[in-house]
Amino acid sequence: MSDSHQPPTASDDPMEQVVHQIPWVLPLAGGLLMFLLAFIAVMMA
């Protein structure tokens, strides 16, 4: 019987790395977007 089973390795899928950062990226991007929109509204007023 051959033992050519390879151990599982970490995947090189870039989406898998991004998924772990979503809880940090989305609130930061939302806050930045709100700040920029408020800044534009104040400057146009």
Side-chain angles (χ1 to χ4, degrees):
M1 192 178 271
S2 65
D3 290 327
S4 63
H5 178 73
Q6 296 178 354
T9 57
S11 66
D12 295 331
D13 187 16
M15 278 305 291
E16 210 167 300
Q17 295 172 356
V18 172
V19 167
H20 295 294
Q21 296 175 356
I22 286 177
W24 290 98
V25 171
L26 283 181
L28 290 174
L32 180 64
L33 183 62
M34 284 191 290
F35 174 76
L36 288 174
L37 289 173
F39 180 75
I40 292 169
V42 168
M43 292 310 265
M44 291 185 73

